[in-house]
Amino acid sequence: MAEKEMLELPVRGMDCAECTLHVRKALASLPGVENVEVFLAAEKAVVRFDPQLANLQSMRQVVEQAGYSIPEVAGAQEQVPEDQTSRWSDFTRPVLTLLGVVFGAVLFIVVVGEWLGLFEAITRRVPWPVGAAVVLLAGYPVLRNVVRAALQKQVIAHTLMSLGVAAALVVGEWATAAVIVFFMRVGDYVEHFTAERARRAVRDLTRMAPKTARIERDGVEIEIPVEQVQPGEAVIVRPGEMIPVDGEVLSGQATVNQASITGESMPVEAEAGARVFAASLVQMGMLRVRATQVGADTTFGRVIRLVEQAEANRAEVQRVADRFSGYYLPVVVGVAALTFLLRRDPLATAAVLVVACSCSFALATPIAMLASIGAGARRGLMIKGGKYLELLAKADVLLIDKTGTLTTGKAEIVEMQFLADDLEALALAAAAERYSEHPLAEAVRAAAQGRGLSPETPEDFTAIPGLGVRATVRGRRVEVGNRRMLSGDVSLALELAAAAQRLEAQGETLVYVAVDGELAGVLAAADRLRPEVPQAIQALCKLGIRKVELLTGDNERVAGALAGQLEAQLCEGMQFSYRANLLPEDKIEVVKAYQAQGHTVVMVGDGVNDAPALAQADVGLAMGAAGSDVAIEAAHIALMRDDWLLVPEVVHIARRTMGVVKLNIAFTAVYNLVGLSLAALGFLPPIFAAAAQSLPDLGILANSSRLIRQAEMKADETG
Ligand code: ADP
Ligand code: MG
């Protein structure tokens, strides 16, 4: 089989949600194209194709035939220019637009005046062919698209209105036709504006991406485009500059504002050894940073990419709305036909065709979703699609992973019991844990370091999720983990069994160390509940989540102790329970069991060893995902900083977003229904129908903008 290629293409001219559908259809029709996703906000198409059958040239051609364009670019890396390219010069375009608006408005007033009987029939004095020519000229850009689409057997939003224009022309009402054309273009503009506004949230984000980096080459500082920085190279960041890469501070000291990643505007201190993120700002001081990730591989790069592509994860309401748009057109045509048959009134028929713009249905959902996703990204919430906001809004069960999620993940070894040589066993345990990213591994390493042991390297190493690690150190077989981790032949010496029992009774997490199949010691680790958890769970309870369950691979006692702490602070009516000794696959089963009962499950985890359960949940939330590629990939929604209060916040955002979506849809439906009825009954002359059809988009825009404004206000509060 031939290799498949992925190509990211900028697409111009998409001003309505329907447009993405047209571009998708056009590209998908090419032989060799396997999969197409088109994004309204990012103005991009992502195409998977067989390079032997399809190429950029053929793609550009079909996209152009569909009425859109792919600007000349070398490849996927190319930066999208910020403004629309245009054939018009900077001068002629606004002048023509202004003339068009003035002419259209005057004509509208005249026609309304004639209709009210205020003026004589002025427009009738203009010969019909002249009027018709004006209509065709003014409507050329829209009518051309309609004809193009029709040639491809496609019906677009303006197809019906164009039929209305044709009907008006046929009955000799060129002025009415001209007014319809005028409002078609106004509607176009409104739609363009709405789409732009939706794009803004995402585009503002991409604009924050660093563009240049300052590096030292041969002892001289030079500034280079950020794409040219190689991982491993050192970059220099001065006060007021943006850190261009993800990396590790080599030297220097600075306060760094990481708001673009975490949404937290309180700056953090960074010095040698600290991890820093691309797109964060050095406020005071200077840093030399060794690049570990550059460009799209950085946390910021990943977030941008995922947010840009979030449209692919459509909410169910949007699918329904899209399907409805499909039925809507035939219904309108039917109503128009009935109007004509029953009332024999071509103008009423034209009004029906004109008033019913379907585009608003297509816009109602994505505009609100995009607003929230874009606004969320600035608050440290990376949301992978409207689908997850929709599910989150109706979630009723919350499952929580323990270690690193409910607890700080900064465990500490509080007691150690060894059978024989203490230091030797501890050294072996620390070496075995050397490459594990588990909080307990960190604790074991810290304990060894505290005893003055220097880190050793294991010869081989396997992490067993939910159990522990197995490694070979200096030729010895070392196992570190919980009780179930120890191989069957390891027996618990009496002294250790007693110690283990005592420690477990205290609610401590036990870490067993076995060497060459013999138990060598037991360590007790303590980890604290994150302080903001009770407040966050209270808030979630107020938001209607009534069932919370703690899932842990740790022992019964630890889970029980933690649950006890939490239970005391829960709100009334909330059910709280826990399950201990779970393996990662058991957690998946718990999620599935709740889903089978018809619950919508949110799972909060750290995204590392609980990734499978996060994926299985309806909505998987990963805590503190900044800097963890695994967590960002695994989660449906990634919380970029370690703050439990983000959990109720994102649930709240989800509820509000769905509220706005529903209002948008209801408003559009009622508006169109009333409009259609009035038009069919002859109460709405085509000129008013034309004016009316451009309004619902504005309503949707205004309604959805509330989501952005609210997030901006929140950001100011914390700022
Ligand atoms: P949780 O489900 O609470 O998040 P995990 O699934 O990460 O916990 O781990 C479950 C249990 O497995 C831990 O309580 C610990 O006993 C053991 N464990 C897992 N990884 C390690 C490790 N690297 N070192 C020691 N013990 C481990
Ligand atoms: Mg965990």
Side-chain angles (χ1 to χ4, degrees):
M1 245 188 65
E3 282 284 305
K4 298 291 180 286
E5 264 183 40
M6 293 280 269
L7 201 57
E8 213 179 281
L9 304 167
V11 178
R12 290 299 142 69
M14 296 190 293
D15 281 342
C16 68
E18 274 187 343
C19 308
T20 59
L21 236 69
H22 300 150
V23 174
R24 198 160 81 187
K25 268 193 195 154
L27 284 169
S29 71
L30 275 178
V33 170
E34 301 233 315
N35 188 36
V36 188
E37 275 295 348
V38 181
F39 305 103
L40 178 67
E43 297 190 274
K44 273 181 191 164
V46 177
V47 189
R48 219 170 85 91
F49 65 104
D50 181 345
Q52 305 205 303
L53 293 171
N55 57 35
L56 180 61
Q57 213 42 51
S58 56
M59 289 179 208
R60 177 171 290 136
Q61 208 175 350
V62 286
V63 167
E64 264 161 25
Q65 274 166 11
Y68 308 91
S69 67
I70 296 176
E72 295 285 336
V73 285
Q77 311 296 320
E78 204 76 6
Q79 276 283 321
V80 183
E82 296 188 352
D83 292 305
Q84 301 259 342
T85 43
S86 148
R87 283 169 291 129
W88 303 99
S89 77
D90 289 345
F91 176 70
T92 35
R93 196 187 172 99
V95 167
L96 277 180
T97 309
L98 188 70
L99 279 178
V101 169
V102 170
F103 179 72
V106 168
L107 192 66
F108 181 59
I109 292 167
V110 169
V111 177
V112 170
E114 289 177 354
W115 182 73
L116 291 172
L118 296 180
F119 318 133
E120 294 287 296
I122 304 172
T123 57
R124 295 215 181 276
R125 290 192 205 136
V126 179
W128 185 88
V130 175
V134 168
V135 169
L136 293 182
L137 208 66
Y140 174 71
V142 187
L143 300 174
R144 179 195 55 190
N145 283 347
V146 168
V147 171
R148 254 190 200 155
L151 290 179
Q152 297 197 20
K153 299 195 190 70
Q154 280 186 12
V155 175
I156 60 176
H158 287 145
T159 306
L160 293 186
M161 291 189 79
S162 305
L163 286 177
V165 171
L169 277 182
V170 167
V171 297
E173 299 272 346
W174 75 264
T176 298
V179 169
I180 299 174
V181 160
F182 172 62
F183 280 109
M184 258 162 113
R185 303 217 44 194
V186 169
D188 243 21
Y189 181 76
V190 168
E191 226 162 65
H192 176 72
F193 185 72
T194 312
E196 269 310 300
R197 179 74 210 228
R199 271 177 204 137
R200 212 184 73 185
V202 174
R203 205 179 276 169
D204 283 355
L205 205 65
T206 45
R207 286 210 185 116
M208 290 199 295
K211 304 206 168 41
T212 61
R214 198 192 292 279
I215 62 161
E216 215 170 84
R217 270 193 193 153
D218 310 322
V220 203
E221 259 182 50
I222 51 167
E223 203 165 304
I224 57 169
V226 69
E227 311 86 67
Q228 289 175 15
V229 180
Q230 301 295 322
E233 254 181 324
V235 301
I236 295 151
V237 199
R238 295 250 166 81
E241 287 180 348
M242 204 179 255
I243 299 177
V245 295
D246 277 8
E248 196 190 353
V249 176
L250 290 171
S251 61
Q253 211 171 21
T255 48
V256 179
N257 187 328
Q258 303 185 326
S260 57
I261 314 285
T262 60
E264 169 63 66
S265 47
M266 274 290 285
V268 295
E269 295 288 330
E271 51 181 28
R275 276 190 79 179
V276 289
F277 299 110
S280 43
L281 206 67
V282 169
Q283 290 183 328
M284 257 186 296
M286 203 171 120
L287 295 176
R288 263 184 77 227
V289 175
R290 190 177 62 86
T292 49
Q293 264 102 23
V294 294
D297 295 331
T298 61
T299 290
F300 188 72
R302 276 168 208 275
V303 168
I304 286 189
R305 192 180 183 77
L306 291 166
V307 166
E308 276 187 352
Q309 303 197 349
E311 280 174 58
N313 295 315
R314 285 178 201 85
E316 191 55 35
V317 276
Q318 188 172 353
R319 287 180 205 282
V320 173
D322 285 351
R323 223 173 302 141
F324 178 76
S325 303
Y327 298 126
Y328 186 66
L329 288 181
V331 167
V332 172
V333 173
V335 173
L338 271 180
T339 308
F340 188 71
L341 288 178
L342 296 179
R343 304 176 36 101
R344 307 255 159 219
D345 180 350
L347 284 183
T349 310
V352 168
L353 292 171
V354 166
V355 80
C357 182
S358 65
C359 223
S360 312
F361 281 110
L363 274 176
T365 312
I367 294 291
M369 295 298 185
L370 284 173
S372 286
I373 290 170
R378 296 182 192 197
R379 303 262 314 131
L381 296 162
M382 195 269 311
I383 303 163
K384 282 193 188 164
K387 181 178 164 186
Y388 304 112
L389 286 175
E390 182 182 45
L391 287 167
L392 195 57
K394 63 175 186 191
D396 54 352
V397 171
L398 175 72
L399 303 179
I400 309 174
D401 170 69
K402 187 196 71 119
T403 311
T405 305
L406 199 60
T407 62
T408 58
K410 292 191 184 77
E412 211 180 311
I413 303 294
V414 289
E415 204 174 320
M416 298 189 256
Q417 287 280 332
F418 293 101
L419 264 191
D421 188 348
D422 289 22
L423 282 183
E424 170 68 2
L426 185 59
L428 290 173
E433 294 277 31
R434 172 103 191 235
Y435 297 119
S436 166
E437 46 194 332
H438 199 275
L440 286 177
E442 239 162 81
V444 172
R445 290 195 300 259
Q449 215 165 25
R451 294 284 187 93
L453 296 166
S454 52
E456 287 178 73
T457 311
E459 280 120 57
D460 66 52
F461 155 84
T462 336
I464 304 154
L467 294 176
V469 296
R470 190 167 283 152
T472 312
V473 183
R474 286 187 256 126
R476 310 182 68 178
R477 192 156 57 83
V478 185
E479 290 162 297
V480 187
N482 57 20
R483 184 82 170 261
R484 284 166 306 143
M485 163 76 194
L486 305 177
S487 6
D489 55 342
V490 175
S491 60
L492 216 56
L494 272 179
E495 306 163 59
L496 283 183
Q501 218 167 36
R502 180 175 51 80
L503 290 167
E504 209 178 278
Q506 289 170 15
E508 239 94 64
T509 299
L510 297 191
V511 179
Y512 293 87
V513 182
V515 179
D516 292 329
E518 305 240 348
L519 192 68
V522 185
L523 317 180
D527 196 355
R528 275 180 305 110
L529 188 68
R530 288 183 198 268
E532 75 281 10
V533 168
Q535 195 192 338
I537 293 193
Q538 290 268 345
L540 286 165
C541 179
K542 289 209 187 88
L543 286 165
I545 290 181
R546 288 301 155 87
K547 173 87 197 133
V548 176
E549 192 160 73
L550 171 59
L551 305 181
T552 178
D554 209 339
N555 66 53
E556 194 78 33
R557 301 267 191 176
V558 177
L562 214 56
Q565 272 185 54
L566 264 182
E567 239 163 356
Q569 312 185 53
L570 289 178
C571 79
E572 200 144 331
M574 187 174 241
Q575 263 188 41
F576 184 81
S577 53
Y578 66 88
R579 292 184 212 208
N581 296 316
L582 298 180
L583 291 177
E585 50 269 34
D586 301 329
K587 294 183 185 175
I588 302 180
E589 291 310 315
V590 175
V591 175
K592 281 187 181 160
Y594 275 115
Q595 286 170 331
Q597 290 168 23
H599 293 289
T600 305
V601 179
V602 188
M603 164 108 196
V604 187
D606 54 29
V608 181
N609 53 21
D610 45 21
L614 288 188
Q616 173 65 38
D618 295 289
V619 186
L621 269 95
M623 294 283 298
S628 165
D629 307 348
V630 208
I632 293 178
E633 294 308 321
H636 300 132
I637 298 179
L639 314 179
M640 302 308 283
R641 72 189 124 105
D642 273 329
D643 182 356
W644 256 85
L645 294 176
L646 286 175
V647 178
E649 181 174 332
V650 70
V651 174
H652 182 70
I653 289 177
R655 295 270 164 87
R656 276 189 56 96
T657 310
M658 289 316 289
V660 167
V661 165
K662 283 174 189 157
L663 190 61
N664 280 352
I665 291 178
F667 167 72
T668 312
V670 169
Y671 193 93
N672 278 300
L673 193 69
V674 170
L676 266 183
S677 316
L678 290 180
L681 295 173
F683 294 130
L684 196 64
I687 43 168
F688 294 120
Q693 66 77 37
S694 56
L695 290 179
D697 285 350
L698 280 180
I700 288 175
L701 179 64
N703 194 26
S704 308
S705 298
R706 290 190 298 150
L707 294 167
I708 301 179
R709 229 176 305 125
Q710 215 209 5
E712 276 167 2
M713 267 158 53
K714 272 250 171 172
D716 288 345
E717 261 168 48
T718 42

